[in-house]
Amino acid sequence: MKYKTIVLDLDGTLTTSEKVITPRTKSALMEAQRAGIRIVLASGRPTYGISPIADELKIGSYGGFVMAYNGGRITDWSSKEIVFDQPLAPELVPDLYAAAMKSGTEILTYQGEGIAATNPNDEYVKHEAFINKMPIQLYNDFIHQVEHPINKCLIVGKPQLVAELEKQLSAKLAGKCSIYRSADFFLECVPQGIDKAASLDWLKERMGIDRDEIVAMGDGYNDISMIEYAGLGVAMANATQEVKEKADFVTLSNEEDGVAYVIEEVLNIKCKDRKESDDK
């Protein structure tokens, strides 16, 4: 089987805990692209938070795509054209806000190049800002201050609170909004039917490939759908047990170049010289 596309989650998969790509993993991905494999970066992050990594890997030069907001927006990185965009219905925001406030969690969304949050000092809000390298702005009247369209809201808080809220909102907003965790402390609130597999199914038609020609790698709950969808679904060693059980293969962790291991040992694409600069 010749794989034509590698779909990568970012946090906990492509990047380390420091939110960087190791030299070995970068070298392996560059070699894969030179071999004709296209890269799709699929993350819950906004496009702004993905773009530095997309540029570092030069995916625009090799026909790659950025799938942001868990698939809510897809950008052709060669032309920077937004080829798919599904905003969140504005009428859902008051319900999401009320649920977050009642449960003792916080809510945020993305406005331009910044994060709009109910509590800029919250540790989980700060973590999201760190991940995306985006400044935080206080929205003390969140419902009325948010400027639409937006692609998602993110509810953040202690894992036990987020897990309980996931159950409540999934029941209350069934058929109206898709609710799932991307981490124990992150609850993604996106348009109904939006997830990485659904958007990947749409994208494969544009790319002219079959699902069997896709390798998808991830570590979080929001990666399960694309791991199950792809021809080769890969879970990281640092993934939760639930994710690992859905995968065809479990690679090394994100701290151990698990992505590079799949490229080198499973796809059998060897780097000619890992020390050689990919910028040449």
Side-chain angles (χ1 to χ4, degrees), residues 25-91:
T25 291
K26 179 180 177 180
S27 182
L29 286 167
M30 297 307 297
E31 196 67 37
Q33 290 182 107
R34 286 191 283 267
I37 295 178
R38 288 193 280 181
I39 303 297
V40 176
L41 301 179
S43 174
R45 294 189 192 189
T47 306
Y48 182 88
I50 303 173
S51 60
I53 292 176
D55 290 340
E56 180 182 356
L57 294 175
K58 304 182 187 300
I59 70 169
S61 299
Y62 296 94
F65 289 80
V66 165
M67 186 186 296
Y69 303 109
N70 283 303
R73 177 179 292 176
I74 304 175
T75 304
D76 181 334
W77 214 246
S78 299
S79 63
K80 300 302 188 293
E81 176 191 2
I82 297 173
V83 296
F84 177 86
D85 192 35
Q86 180 61 58
L88 185 68
E91 60 268 23

Side-chain angles (χ1 to χ4, degrees), residues 38 64 71 92 129 155 157 165 192 198 200 224 231 256 265 272:
R38 288 193 280 181
L92 294 173
I155 294 176
L165 191 56
Q192 178 64 29
L200 190 54
I224 290 176
E256 301 170 305
E265 304 300 329
K272 296 176 182 178

